[in-house]
Amino acid sequence: MIVSRRLFQRLRRTAIQAVPTVVGIVILNFFLLQFAPGDAADVMAAEAGSATVETMADLRSRFGLDLPVIHQLLNYLSNLAHFSLGYSPRYGMPVAELIGQRLPGTLILMGAALLFALTIGVILGSLMAQFSGRLPDRVLSVGSLLFYSVPGFWIGLMLILLFSVKLGWLPSGGDSTIGSSLTGFAALADRARYIVLPALSLSLYYLAIYARLTRAAMLEVKSQDYVRTARAKGVSPLRLVLRHILRNALIPITTLAGMHIGGMLGGAVVVETVFSWPGLGRLAFEAVMARDFSVLLGILLLSSFVVIIVNATVDLLQAWLDPRIGESR
Amino acid sequence: MTALLEVRDFSVAFGASQPVKGVSFTANPGEMLAIVGESGSGKSLTALGLIGLLPRHAKTGGEIRFEGRNLLAQSERDWRRIRGRDIGMIFQEPMTSLNPVLTVGEQIIEVLRIHERLDRKQARQRAVDLLELVNIPEARKRVDDYPHQLSGGMRQRVMIAIGVACNPKLLIADEATTALDVTIQAQILQLLDNLRRDLNMAVILITHDLGIVAQWADRVMVMYAGRKVEEGLPEPVFTDPYHPYTRGLLGASPRAESGHHYRDGPLIEIPGSIVSATGEKGCAFRPRCPSAQASCGFAVPALRQIAEDRLAACPFTPTRFVSQIHDASLRS
Ligand SMILES: Nc1ncnc2c1ncn2[C@@H]1O[C@H](COP(=O)(O)OP(=O)(O)O)[C@@H](O)[C@H]1O
Ligand code: SF4
Ligand SMILES: [Mg+2]
């Protein structure tokens, strides 16, 4: 009863804050993109190899690129108000449809990477805390420091080199075997093989962070008085770790994990490009190169939604994990 | 009467330093034994030793016999069966001693279900009963509260409920009332006193405040720098403190009436600090002792029987004791 009321209050507050945030993000991004040199017409003309002044002007007026900036912004906002993300001149289809095609790929990739980073990170961090100062802790600490400091694309390239080129175990790019007519479980297994390397290279950095964070949080919790109380009750070591130490250590870990999701979207751009994974990140990259701003704005808008939703989820998760949150205020 | 707990020459060492230097004492069933001494005397280490929760790198010596069995010789597994069931423990800080993410009910139920075969419903009912036992109003509602929803005094009652949940034979209360207001302090002590009578449970009441001991304890043991320096019944110890340290403690003991609280600042009646005891070859109290003599630095003074039920570790007898000792020696 009390828990659900607490959660509802949190959710309502988040929703109220979200609207101005999103509008602000749209306007800010719109002006930022105006600073980039060139527009879609320039790129299309350059790609076509020849273009007259007239065709360029024609292109611009067709996509509304010749209007004053403020006018363009108002157009865009009015589109948004009608739940339209606009039209992509380059891909020749509505932006919403374009994004809809690419979104699942990115969500799957990020979900897999996050799940892997969190589970393995928390397990390794718990081990490090349990053996703190001893050999397993030292080895894992060095390992996590390594993955923390090496950029994702480099890890990706090294993984391709090892697992695709040298060992030939896993495919180096794409999201499924082209032209294969697999169905059911076989198709799923095929896709799973393709996601391993990109998800791994996206997750290792976060895995390192979560492992180090879990270690620190657990060591901190371990020295708390209530852990001693639990031991004085005769609680077994496993139960002590799971119910008393980890449960409390998870509170700071969820906060940080939530904050990382936005960063992970950024990381996905690089990883999707390295592994030619058909997702939003690569679409964003292509949109930048093509100066296809309506696509880019759409992606940025969606990303801000994702971040807001994730933050709200984390908030809820926290309120659920920590009964002290969300009572007052 | 056979003692419930018999501690013999118990010591705790961390490398070269030995904060507990061989203490011996007994506790009888249902008895309330107070261990008194200022901060750093080794009281908490002694208490943690009794329940097997000393830091892993601590080296222990001597014997702790509980119902005849030497606890120090047993495995960690055996310890877990004793903790919470035969020996309960309450700690100083009520604000931090309960797990913030579990309801008080869950925390009481946990100890019950570790040691007793109870299903969820029975355990919950027992938790409510226990909250009533420690005088928490509206126990049925409070059982679902989280610790942060309770006051310090209430939380300490919950700690007591956890401590006595499985009817332990011994309850150790390490500074259990120190962080509480004076009036709450008295209520908690009254509660402990009632419980030990009702449950026939021995209580070891650990405190640095001699003032709160007089009214409740059956026996008082004074510790200084890891050693027992005096022991006796509260009345005689209070009216005629024998050891100079006990005398100093009595002077330093804040009285309830004066409203003095341990947080109000350091107590100044005993000059110097317990740190001066480190490395002292003779009597550890010598650097601070107003009655110190040259000979006090030669050897650690032995505990001597001063009177019936009275031990002290100082050879220099205040004059008023001379007749008693004379009487005692005449009688023996
Ligand atoms: N883990 C430890 N390692 C080294 N020394 C310790 C440790 N715990 C306590 N001590 C030392 O033991 C002495 C006695 O501590 P303690 O038993 O907590 O005293 P009290 O409870 O009487 O205040 C202190 O001076 C402290 O410095
Ligand atoms: S032995 Fe000496 S120094 Fe120690 S308490 Fe007695 S008089 Fe003081
Ligand atoms: Mg202490």
Side-chain angles (χ1 to χ4, degrees):
Chain A
M1 262 329 274
I2 304 160
V3 174
S4 60
R5 206 186 57 215
R6 220 150 35 90
L7 298 190
F8 176 74
Q9 275 178 4
R10 286 262 332 145
L11 205 59
R12 206 185 47 182
R13 224 185 40 183
T14 317
I16 292 171
Q17 285 170 353
V19 176
T21 312
V22 169
V23 173
I25 285 171
V26 168
I27 296 176
L28 194 71
N29 282 328
F30 190 90
F31 283 113
L32 271 180
L33 291 181
Q34 295 299 327
F35 285 123
D39 60 16
D42 286 328
V43 176
M44 287 167 91
E47 281 175 355
S50 69
T52 59
V53 178
E54 290 81 49
T55 49
M56 296 267 294
D58 186 42
L59 274 174
R60 289 209 166 95
S61 80
R62 192 140 54 91
F63 302 126
L65 296 173
D66 53 349
L67 298 172
V69 174
I70 287 296
H71 210 112
Q72 290 188 39
L73 174 63
L74 289 179
N75 273 351
Y76 188 76
L77 288 177
S78 125
N79 272 345
L80 275 188
H82 295 91
F83 296 103
S84 159
L85 289 177
Y87 189 83
S88 162
R90 180 180 182 78
Y91 292 90
M93 62 164 103
V95 171
E97 200 176 306
L98 195 58
I99 289 178
Q101 285 175 1
R102 300 294 194 94
L103 183 61
T106 294
L107 287 184
I108 290 171
L109 181 63
M110 278 179 52
L114 190 67
L115 195 71
F116 183 76
L118 264 179
T119 36
I120 306 296
V122 168
I123 291 173
L124 291 184
S126 307
L127 283 176
M128 282 157 78
Q130 214 59 29
F131 293 96
S132 78
R134 283 178 280 163
L135 192 65
D137 178 34
R138 301 253 170 97
V139 172
L140 289 171
S141 285
V142 171
S144 69
L145 201 62
L146 191 74
F147 287 120
Y148 180 72
S149 40
V150 170
F153 76 88
W154 190 83
I155 293 177
L157 292 174
M158 290 304 120
L159 288 176
I160 292 179
L161 216 63
L162 181 63
F163 289 102
S164 306
V165 179
K166 270 252 185 312
L167 299 171
W169 289 353
L170 292 164
S172 64
D175 71 338
S176 56
T177 309
I178 298 164
S180 76
S181 54
L182 297 167
T183 51
F185 184 75
L188 213 65
D190 179 58
R191 288 186 155 252
R193 271 166 46 80
Y194 278 84
I195 204 173
V196 172
L197 291 186
L200 205 59
S201 40
L202 184 56
S203 73
L204 284 177
Y205 169 78
Y206 297 97
L207 191 155
I209 292 183
Y210 298 149
R212 298 177 74 77
L213 196 68
T214 304
R215 176 186 188 275
M218 285 187 71
L219 286 180
E220 157 94 30
V221 172
K222 235 178 162 170
S223 66
Q224 297 291 316
D225 289 345
Y226 56 79
V227 172
R228 190 179 52 182
T229 305
R231 294 182 67 206
K233 294 200 288 192
V235 169
S236 70
L238 184 67
R239 198 183 166 88
L240 190 74
V241 168
L242 293 182
R243 187 171 151 117
H244 293 274
I245 301 178
L246 193 55
R247 176 73 207 278
N248 278 284
L250 277 180
I251 296 170
I253 295 170
T254 34
T255 318
L256 227 78
M259 281 168 24
H260 283 147
I261 305 251
M264 216 176 209
L265 268 172
V269 175
V270 176
V271 168
E272 286 179 5
T273 310
V274 170
F275 288 94
S276 34
W277 180 265
L280 274 187
R282 222 178 52 168
L283 181 65
F285 179 71
E286 291 162 7
V288 171
M289 298 319 279
R291 300 290 185 276
D292 196 341
F293 293 153
S294 50
V295 171
L296 210 50
L297 274 176
I299 292 175
L300 291 171
L301 184 67
L302 186 83
S303 311
S304 53
F305 270 126
V306 169
V307 170
I308 286 170
I309 290 170
V310 167
N311 280 348
T313 316
V314 169
D315 262 12
L316 288 185
L317 205 61
Q318 279 214 301
W320 177 70
L321 279 174
D322 188 347
R324 290 162 297 185
I325 290 178
E327 287 230 312
S328 47
R329 279 183 291 174
Chain B
M1 180 158 41
T2 47
L4 172 71
L5 177 76
E6 214 177 331
V7 178
R8 269 188 228 140
D9 204 23
F10 177 66
S11 64
V12 180
F14 298 98
S17 87
Q18 196 182 32
V20 180
K21 299 180 170 69
V23 292
S24 305
F25 59 92
T26 58
N28 295 317
E31 179 185 37
M32 188 176 288
L33 168 70
I35 302 183
V36 190
E38 73 197 291
S39 238
S41 315
K43 308 182 300 290
S44 291
L45 290 177
T46 306
L48 289 173
L50 293 180
I51 198 167
L53 287 182
L54 285 167
R56 215 181 305 198
H57 57 288
K59 284 249 173 310
T60 55
E63 265 182 16
I64 297 176
R65 294 212 165 263
F66 184 77
E67 298 188 306
R69 168 160 77 136
N70 185 8
L71 299 186
L72 290 181
Q74 71 182 357
S75 68
E76 173 62 22
R77 214 187 174 76
D78 293 332
W79 267 122
R80 283 208 300 277
R81 265 195 285 273
I82 286 189
R83 288 181 203 138
R85 192 186 68 178
D86 296 319
I87 306 180
M89 185 145 179
I90 316 167
F91 299 98
Q92 171 167 347
E93 283 301 330
M95 297 322 222
T96 53
S97 290
L98 290 168
N99 191 332
V101 303
L102 301 176
T103 64
V104 298
E106 287 171 321
Q107 303 190 50
I108 300 173
I109 289 170
E110 182 171 43
V111 69
L112 288 170
R113 295 199 59 181
I114 289 172
H115 298 293
E116 292 174 26
R117 275 168 190 275
L118 290 173
D119 63 29
R120 252 165 227 295
K121 241 183 105 196
Q122 292 168 319
R124 192 183 155 83
Q125 186 53 49
R126 278 277 297 278
V128 173
D129 295 345
L130 280 161
L131 288 180
E132 274 166 3
L133 183 70
V134 297
N135 297 332
I136 290 187
E138 297 183 285
R140 199 159 290 281
K141 259 212 246 145
R142 291 280 168 234
V143 75
D144 292 319
D145 274 1
Y146 288 96
H148 73 273
Q149 295 168 300
L150 303 176
S151 68
M154 284 297 155
R155 287 188 217 186
Q156 204 57 305
R157 286 171 194 272
V158 172
M159 281 298 292
I160 294 174
I162 292 173
V164 303
C166 300
N167 283 341
K169 298 175 183 107
L170 173 65
L171 182 72
I172 305 166
D174 187 0
E175 306 271 10
T177 63
T178 304
L180 303 173
D181 291 338
V182 181
T183 43
I184 314 274
Q185 218 172 53
Q187 289 170 11
I188 296 287
L189 286 164
Q190 178 72 59
L191 172 66
L192 284 176
D193 192 53
N194 293 346
L195 286 175
R196 64 137 171 163
R197 285 170 209 281
D198 295 348
L199 307 174
N200 189 33
M201 163 181 83
V203 174
I204 295 184
L205 186 70
I206 295 177
T207 175
H208 65 269
D209 179 357
L210 199 49
I212 70 166
V213 164
Q215 196 180 345
W216 309 102
D218 297 325
R219 210 144 41 85
V220 181
M221 153 179 165
V222 181
M223 273 182 85
Y224 184 73
R227 287 201 176 86
K228 176 159 89 175
V229 295
E230 180 153 8
E231 182 178 340
L233 303 179
E235 234 281 308
V237 170
F238 272 81
T239 46
D240 274 331
Y242 184 84
H243 196 280
Y245 178 63
T246 315
R247 252 177 278 149
L249 268 187
L250 268 174
S253 162
R255 298 293 154 165
E257 311 90 67
S258 72
H260 188 95
H261 199 257
Y262 84 110
R263 276 185 281 228
D264 295 350
L267 302 163
I268 43 148
E269 277 82 350
I270 311 178
S273 104
I274 195 165
V275 178
S276 63
T278 11
E280 205 34 68
K281 276 198 201 62
C283 174
F285 191 54
R286 196 174 63 106
R288 306 167 72 185
C289 181
S291 335
Q293 321 266 324
S295 62
C296 300
F298 298 161
V300 179
L303 271 172
R304 291 182 309 137
Q305 184 105 33
I306 306 298
E308 216 190 336
D309 290 326
R310 192 73 184 272
L311 292 169
C314 174
F316 297 102
T317 317
T319 44
R320 64 179 171 278
F321 272 101
V322 173
S323 58
Q324 283 184 22
I325 291 175
H326 191 65
D327 289 351
S329 55
L330 282 184
R331 260 188 276 136
S332 59

